Amino acid sequence: GAGVSQTPSNKVTEKGKYVELRCDPISGHTALYWYRQSLGQGPEFLIYFQGTGAADDSGLPNDRFFAVRPEGSVSTLKIQRTERGDSAVYLCASSPDGQAGTGELFFGEGSRLTVL
Amino acid sequence: GIQVEQSPPDLILQEGANSTLRCNFSDSVNNLQWFHQNPWGQLINLFYIPSGTKQNGRLSATTVATERYSLLYISSSQTTDSGVYFCAVEGVYNFNKFYFGSGTKLNVKP
């Protein structure tokens, strides 16, 4: 498709389970970002990829969170041992070139994670 | 990180009215974007405007980078303008990390 695609759109899981969220960026965009949005708040930065490498993962809240982008396109955000506090909307964004600043960000529709 | 403050937090308008939303930020920025988050949660790009003025239909935006603020103008508001408007900035010393404000929640009544 033409835009950033995220799957699943909704995920309900139980506390302690493992979750994967997928992001397919706009074709040709080298920079990819994950953000997290809690109810009533603005999105918060989690991690940024330039190509295949995680250039900045300073926003990941703890070591239960991990993200990969093995071929420089699709990215997966992985959450281990989920906790109720992980419930949020996880947003993925891409931009054409992140090497000299972000450029314009384009967001997907998000994956809403609910941990029971 | 950069502090981003948006005002007002909530705004109720009658259809057809005009409004101005403000975004203040605490440091020099490389990049600034305005987004509209629709009721389904999608963040829609409105303006990519690190400086200067842009217009797109009934919407326009102005960023005065030296004074660390940006304004979003909505004229002749419509019910479809309802939702949350976010300002997001990227600092000159901290590339590739956007900081978002808490948003302005707009409700346009028919």
Side-chain angles (χ1 to χ4, degrees):
Chain A
V4 178
S5 176
Q6 292 189 245
T7 56
S9 54
N10 278 287
K11 177 69 176 179
V12 180
T13 191
E14 294 180 344
K15 181 176 178 294
K17 298 291 188 182
Y18 170 80
V19 167
E20 288 190 354
L21 306 175
R22 175 190 166 106
C23 172
D24 197 344
I26 292 171
S27 177
H29 281 192
T30 57
L32 185 146
Y33 309 80
W34 285 97
Y35 281 75
R36 180 169 72 173
Q37 186 176 23
S38 300
L39 193 63
Q41 303 295 319
E44 294 180 318
F45 171 84
L46 294 178
I47 188 170
Y48 152 64
F49 288 89
Q50 180 60 38
T52 61
D56 184 346
D57 64 357
S58 61
L60 295 178
N62 52 59
D63 60 7
R64 295 186 298 104
F65 288 74
F66 190 71
V68 295
R69 193 186 186 199
E71 297 178 356
S73 179
V74 171
S75 176
T76 305
L77 178 65
K78 308 181 181 194
I79 310 174
Q80 298 178 322
R81 306 184 302 281
T82 52
E83 299 178 356
R84 291 193 181 88
D86 299 335
S87 297
V89 176
Y90 290 82
L91 294 163
C92 178
S94 68
S95 70
D97 182 352
Q99 296 198 18
T102 298
E104 188 171 1
L105 277 184
F106 295 88
F107 280 87
E109 295 185 359
S111 292
R112 181 177 300 277
L113 174 65
T114 302
V115 182
L116 301 176
Chain B
I2 298 177
Q3 305 302 311
V4 182
E5 294 183 359
Q6 291 188 243
S7 59
D10 295 278
L11 185 59
I12 300 174
L13 295 177
Q14 205 65 37
E15 197 168 29
N18 303 328
S19 63
T20 300
L21 282 57
R22 187 176 180 102
C23 171
N24 292 333
F25 40 94
S26 62
D27 205 348
S28 300
V29 298
N30 182 62
N31 198 344
L32 186 146
Q33 282 187 246
W34 282 98
F35 296 91
H36 175 214
Q37 189 163 45
N38 65 22
W40 296 271
Q42 173 78 54
L43 281 166
I44 298 166
N45 291 32
L46 297 178
F47 293 101
Y48 169 65
I49 186 167
S51 63
T53 296
K54 292 186 177 180
Q55 181 155 7
N56 184 3
R58 295 181 297 103
L59 304 182
S60 64
T62 294
T63 296
V64 184
T66 53
E67 298 187 19
R68 300 182 182 171
Y69 72 89
S70 183
L71 302 173
L72 177 68
Y73 306 94
I74 305 174
S75 65
S76 304
S77 58
Q78 300 176 359
T79 56
T80 52
D81 295 332
S82 296
V84 182
Y85 290 80
F86 286 105
C87 167
V89 304
E90 176 193 36
V92 295
Y93 306 113
N94 202 355
F95 280 175
N96 305 119
K97 187 182 296 183
F98 268 80
Y99 294 90
F100 282 74
S102 295
T104 292
K105 186 173 183 180
L106 174 63
N107 184 7
V108 181
K109 296 192 170 184

